[in-house]
Amino acid sequence: MNPETAILWAAAVATLGVYTILYRENPISRLFEHIFVGLSAGYLIVFIWAQNLEGKWWNPMIHERKWYWVFAPIIGLLFYFIYSRRFLWLARLVMGLFFGTAAGYFFREFFPIYSPQVYACFKPLRADATIGWADVILHNWLFAIILLTVMSYFFFSIPHEGRFGRTLGRSALLGRWFLMIAFGAMFGNTVMARISLFIGRVQFLLNEWLGSFLPWFAQRGP
Amino acid sequence: MTERATGFWERFQQIPRYYIYLLLAAVVIWQILFPMPLPIAPSRATQGVYDAIAAVPDDKLILISTDWDASTQAETGPQTEALIHACLQNHKRFAIMNLQPPMGVKLANDIAERVAAEYGAEYGVDWCNWGYKYGFDNVLIAMAKNIPKTIGDDFYGDPVTDLPMMKGVQDISSIGLVIEITGLAAITEYWIGLIQGVYGTPFASAYTAVMAPGYYPFLDSDQMKGMLVGAKGAAEMEVLVHRPARATVIMNVQSWAHVLIIVLIIVGNLGYLFARTRGRQRA
């Protein structure tokens, strides 16, 4: 058996093995789950070494005599003092460094990510030379109504009593309906994604695996 | 424990899941083996990605960040393939890279090698692979200022500075478009927060269908030039590059699978409505 055929058969057996979960929890699907997790972890370690650590850390430290790189893993290993009551403060030092860096990055990223979306909420509500009434009503008015009603749904400070409160309550109810429609669309997309993955596996089993020894199946492929 | 259905309509609400799985598998196998093709029309979001690729100046690179792995390959694999076709048909040079998970860079490399061979495109001249670079925001911040130093070696372990297409590539201004292909949330936020939003580098994306709805606001605010949504987006891109392939088959099968699911939802709800009406009459 050549390596290509062996890989094909291994992939087919693994696919069928994992799908046995559809019948019920069983040792075969568990076995293939563990194999997948182990393979992924091993692959990650090799790739982190080969594509990152070797070129960025090991080679400069060993071959270019940049000796100070030796401190990088020492600092990293300080994390393990989380298991020592006496030296926990050393772990906290590096954790604090990471928290501070992450907070700084997040602060830096926040405005470029969200401010354009806030600007984009301000849409013209009257027709002009660039946009007709049909577009204004179908897109911009609808957008504005959904935006305001959904925001009112998340406004919890005023009880839905009295004249203003009841109006707010009706708006919040409408907002909830819009949210439900959005969740429905998201759920539809999730169904589409899951079925796509299933179709991808069935395509593999029929066109590639069965097709490798029954050419008729290969001919039915894309 | 679920109460056992006794009436005709009650049974409609409790169809055993094995029957549903078998029905779905039967529809999928039937449509893969005996397809009844349905038309696919590119959406504005997909057209936006294609137009963004075509608009990249010749002296700039397209950077394709292939942050996906085998678990989403049915969607992201065809997306990657169709996007590489679009790059090569428009005579644009592109670089692949990967932030996470590392499997994506190998899978994308295999696709790029195969597609590039069809166009006679040469590694290092028309396309290259910068490999898996660990570090998310650190990588992007450093790359924005100095690409060769940040990337270092390519996927094969050779210095990127040795590649002919990397001559003159200095910083993020050498990149004409970033395309993010992923099944992971949050990586887009790094690209937009640290690259697109700061340096104005055009950005487009290709997502699994699960995560795509969460990113429509980015499309609406013009932070993204376009977006491929799951296998549907890949199939639409295949239409635009005139290369019907795997995603086109997937979407055709998908449409029939959706018909089955809609029928099952209607049947389940009819069962519920009739059972409730009958229950009220009895009461």
Side-chain angles (χ1 to χ4, degrees):
Chain A
M1 191 183 270
N2 66 42
E4 290 288 318
T5 314
I7 290 167
L8 206 60
W9 274 84
V13 170
T15 303
L16 293 171
V18 168
Y19 273 132
T20 58
I21 191 81
L22 293 176
Y23 175 61
R24 66 176 176 205
E25 180 72 45
N26 67 79
I28 297 171
S29 75
R30 268 291 159 95
L31 170 74
F32 285 105
E33 264 179 39
H34 290 310
I35 291 173
F36 182 72
V37 172
L39 278 173
S40 298
Y43 191 87
L44 182 71
I45 291 166
V46 171
F47 252 64
I48 284 185
W49 175 261
Q51 304 245 314
N52 291 275
L53 290 179
E54 192 181 15
K56 295 274 178 203
W57 172 68
W58 183 256
N59 287 343
M61 184 173 66
I62 300 298
H63 303 300
E64 295 166 24
R65 297 187 184 281
K66 291 179 178 171
W67 55 269
Y68 47 83
W69 277 113
V70 78
F71 292 112
I74 293 172
I75 294 168
L77 286 169
L78 293 181
F79 269 116
Y80 283 98
F81 281 114
I82 198 165
Y83 298 112
S84 158
R85 285 192 178 187
R86 195 173 163 198
F87 296 108
L88 181 64
W89 63 275
L90 285 169
R92 283 188 179 147
L93 271 182
V94 269
M95 275 185 215
L97 182 74
F98 273 77
F99 287 159
T101 313
Y105 277 159
F106 184 75
F107 190 73
R108 182 178 167 170
E109 290 164 23
F110 184 84
F111 293 99
I113 293 172
Y114 296 108
S115 52
Q117 290 173 31
V118 175
Y119 306 147
C121 292
F122 295 92
K123 295 175 186 289
L125 297 177
R126 291 178 64 178
D128 59 21
T130 56
I131 187 165
W133 270 111
D135 276 338
V136 165
I137 292 167
L138 268 175
H139 297 123
N140 298 0
W141 273 96
L142 190 63
F143 178 89
I145 290 166
I146 293 173
L147 178 76
L148 293 173
T149 54
V150 168
M151 281 173 71
S152 69
Y153 174 75
F154 291 102
F155 195 73
F156 303 118
S157 303
I158 295 174
H160 294 173
E161 292 162 2
R163 202 169 173 185
F164 179 71
R166 276 202 301 276
T167 310
L168 187 71
R170 285 189 202 108
S171 168
L173 183 69
L174 191 60
R176 196 169 75 185
W177 274 94
F178 287 132
L179 280 169
M180 290 300 148
I181 293 168
F183 294 148
M186 283 182 180
F187 184 72
N189 263 48
T190 305
V191 170
M192 183 166 88
R194 299 296 177 241
I195 294 178
S196 293
L197 302 183
F198 176 62
I199 296 168
R201 283 293 83 194
V202 178
Q203 263 186 329
F204 164 76
L205 289 172
L206 293 177
N207 302 143
E208 293 178 46
W209 177 57
L210 279 180
S212 68
F213 51 91
L214 297 169
W216 183 81
F217 283 98
Q219 288 160 11
R220 311 306 295 178
Chain B
M1 199 173 156
T2 321
E3 209 174 296
R4 194 179 163 81
T6 48
F8 178 75
W9 293 112
E10 279 87 353
R11 276 188 204 147
F12 270 32
Q13 295 172 70
Q14 294 181 21
I15 302 170
R17 63 195 170 108
Y18 307 114
Y19 293 166
I20 295 172
Y21 293 154
L22 282 173
L23 269 173
L24 187 64
V27 169
V28 168
I29 293 169
W30 163 53
Q31 274 304 306
I32 287 177
L33 297 178
F34 307 102
M36 293 163 67
L38 296 168
I40 295 168
S43 63
R44 239 169 60 182
T46 305
Q47 186 69 50
V49 180
Y50 186 85
D51 293 344
I53 291 171
V56 172
D58 289 342
D59 61 330
K60 293 193 178 192
L61 299 183
I62 293 174
L63 178 55
I64 305 178
S65 189
T66 56
D67 304 314
W68 54 272
D69 67 2
S71 64
T72 60
Q73 198 180 0
E75 294 180 283
T76 46
Q79 286 173 342
T80 306
E81 186 165 339
L83 286 166
I84 292 174
H85 274 294
C87 291
L88 291 171
Q89 284 182 8
N90 285 287
H91 307 290
K92 305 296 177 192
R93 297 170 304 149
F94 67 91
I96 292 169
M97 76 172 288
N98 172 259
L99 294 170
Q100 191 82 341
M103 212 184 282
V105 77
K106 166 78 176 93
L107 295 169
N109 196 69
D110 292 347
I111 292 170
E113 275 182 349
R114 182 162 43 79
V115 177
E118 283 181 41
Y119 294 87
E122 203 179 323
Y123 184 83
V125 177
D126 303 298
W127 72 282
C128 64
N129 187 342
W130 291 351
Y132 164 57
K133 300 299 161 198
Y134 182 75
F136 296 109
D137 16 25
N138 298 303
V139 174
L140 299 191
I141 288 171
M143 209 175 75
K145 299 194 169 83
N146 191 333
I147 290 174
K149 194 177 170 192
T150 309
I151 301 302
D153 298 337
D154 72 355
F155 178 70
Y156 300 103
D158 301 319
V160 284
T161 44
D162 291 354
L163 302 173
M165 66 181 281
M166 293 297 288
K167 297 278 179 277
V169 172
Q170 290 300 323
D171 52 28
I172 202 68
S173 64
S174 308
I175 306 295
L177 174 68
V178 173
I179 305 175
E180 163 75 358
I181 308 171
T182 192
L184 293 175
I187 297 186
T188 292
E189 279 79 348
Y190 291 130
W191 280 110
I192 290 188
L194 298 170
I195 301 294
Q196 186 273 337
V198 178
Y199 300 97
T201 310
F203 181 84
S205 62
Y207 299 130
T208 53
V210 175
M211 60 180 287
Y215 287 94
Y216 275 103
F218 290 91
L219 202 59
D220 192 47
S221 59
D222 283 335
Q223 287 166 290
M224 279 182 198
K225 296 288 176 192
M227 175 164 76
L228 302 190
V229 179
K232 178 177 170 285
E236 290 169 0
M237 187 54 84
E238 285 178 359
V239 169
L240 289 173
V241 297
H242 310 292
R243 297 277 176 149
R246 240 183 126 183
T248 306
V249 176
I250 289 176
M251 276 323 291
N252 185 52
V253 179
Q254 181 101 249
S255 304
W256 290 100
H258 284 183
V259 170
L260 172 71
I261 287 171
I262 290 166
V263 168
L264 288 171
I265 290 171
I266 291 171
V267 165
N269 279 284
L270 280 178
Y272 168 72
L273 282 173
F274 282 114
R276 195 174 67 166
T277 313
R278 186 167 292 184
R280 274 185 190 161
Q281 282 168 354
R282 275 184 197 148

